[in-house]
Structure formats: structure tokens, C-alpha cells
Amino acid sequence: MPRPRASPLLLAAVAAAFAPSIEAFSPSSSSAVVGNAAAFRSRSTRLQMGVGSAARRVRDSVLSKERNREDLKIGIAGFYDRSSKLWEDIWGEHMHHGYYVPEDRTDHIQAQIDMIDESLKWAGVPNEGEPGTPSKVVDVGCGIGGSSRHIARKYGASTKGITLSPYQAQRGNELASEQGLADQCEFRVADALDMPFDDEEFDLVWSFESGEHMPDKTKFVDELCRVVAPGGRIILVTWCHRDLEEGEESLTKKEEKLLAKINRAYYLPRWCSVDDYVKLLEERGAVGIKRDDWSYTIAPFWKAVIKSSLSLKSVVGLMKSGFSTIRGAYAMFLMLKGFNMGLIKFGMITCQKPEV
């Protein structure tokens, strides 16, 4: 059999990595030879480690291996540091689904704003100017702060947003300043599983499409319940997998395989169902629990995002953003497949903390 040939690109990379060391070898002095030999070994070791690390990442991606909590935190921060600017350039400041009722609407940015208002209305939050509107709000997984700033303007509330992405926190504060909301809106880097806030600090806890990133759903719900004030409201909008049917103990292997591929692309842990969230809230004494499936309201969104990703501006932006963003763009097709299968649900959950 003929021997396999190394890729020309790999050979070029190896040559580029070693070239400085090879050129440095000179018979001018023995000390120079010894020093350059050490440098050569050092570069060789670093190259081997880099190749090994890259090979492991490729293997884990191919096998859709589940990440641990620390890897998820690092990966989430990096993914959104790299991709948030591209999203803002194409879609604006709201990093979430739009509300597509009617389903043929094409004003996508307004659809995202409407999703915030319709979610607040569905959850029973009073209209602006009415008694009981929120005054202190936390946005758990805030992106670049679009929801926080909208809610701050709508109710005159003070809002605090947290994200794992330093870029998002910085950009959120920049936009708040530009929009004259710096006194009302504050964004910082923090972990939603260990929020830097006092107990019962907020009368509205808003978590919009961030729960899917939480590796410990029990701890996540614990934190939501801890920081909400008595009588305050939690609104949790998140991707979930379908509820299990009676007699089912798990999803099918086909369903699990699809979710595992999506998890690798978007730095997600294992999914849960809306049923799972409701049970966690019930166990913590939440009252007035309400749930719904709004998959139909956001169904056109992924098709619109996929279409927008085919523009020249988007393609150039993807190339600049790097591999993880490109992989995330590909995973949009997997998300759409999951929606069409009835596997992925756009879960709506709200409840209140009992009055003292």
C-alpha cells in the first residue's frame, strides 16, 4: 500500500513553526548551537501540545462530547465575545427570538421588541403607569442588554444585567450610556449560578433564553428564587426539550444525538423540559405558576436568521468571527430540525414568590 501523504497545509504549518529555529542553527559558537537546540526543542514541544489539543477538540466535536461546567463557562464567554458584534451588526441589540404573530411578518427587529412586550403581558406584568409595575429588575443572561434597556424605558425601572461575556457587559454599558440610560441600567460579568446580589433584591427576575446554558438547573432555579422579593415575579423563557410522555424515561437516542450536536455548537449542557422547571419551582414554594409553549410564535425566526446569514456582510463577518461562530451558524439548521421534529420547545414559565 502507498504511504499516506501529509497535508501540504500541515507541512507548511510545521515548516513555519520550525523555520526560525532551523535558521538559527549556526556553527559560529557552541553556546549558540546549544541555545538554539533548546529553543528548537521548546518550539517542538509547544507544537506537539498545540496539535494534541486541537486533535482532542476535533475528536470531542465529532463525538459531540458533553463539556464540564468550567469548560462551558469559558466556552460561553468566548463564543459570545466573538459572535455578539456580528449579531448586533445584522440583527441589532436584541439577542433573542422574535414574536411572529402573524407568522408572515418581516419586520424582524420589531418582532424581537414585541417578544419582550408580549412576554411581559402574558406573565401578567402591569402596563406602564399602572400600579404594581416593576421598579428593580435583574436580567439573568442579558446579552448586550437590549431587554434591560427596553424594560427600563417602559417602566422607569432600574435594571441590572449579568453575563459571562466581558464583551457583552462592556457593550451593554456603552449602549446604556449612548441611549441616556446609564443611571438606570448596569451590566457586569457574573455567574447566574452564583449571582452577586442580595436576597430578595428584585421585584422582577427576567431570564430570557439563557436557562439553556445552565449546567445545574436546580442551582439556577435556587438563585432565581433567592434574589426575587416576596410578591415579586420570575419570568423564565428558555429552550427546552419536549415533555416526556407517560411511561417514557428519557428521550429517544435519535433525539439525544441531535441535542448533543447542538450542545457542542452553542456550549450547552444537557437539556431539560418545561415540566422539569415547573417541578423545581413547585418544590420551592412558588405560586401562580403558569406555563406555555410558544414554539409556534418563533418558528419563522430561524428561517429568517438562516436567510440573513447568507448575505455577503454576514459571510464576511462569520469568517472574521472564527470557527466557533461558523459552527454556531451551521447549528441553526439543527435547531430548525429540532423545532420541526417537535423536540425543541420555546418554553414560557412564570410564577411569583409568596408574600410574607
Side-chain angles (χ1 to χ4, degrees), residues 237-254:
V237 179
T238 183
W239 304 349
C240 291
H241 67 60
R242 64 174 179 83
D243 292 337
L244 298 181
E245 301 289 341
E246 186 175 351
E248 278 189 312
E249 295 184 358
S250 65
L251 298 173
T252 67
K253 289 184 178 180
K254 180 180 180 181

Side-chain angles (χ1 to χ4, degrees), residues 94 146 193 230 248 291 331:
H94 296 285
L193 302 184
E248 278 189 312
R291 58 169 290 175

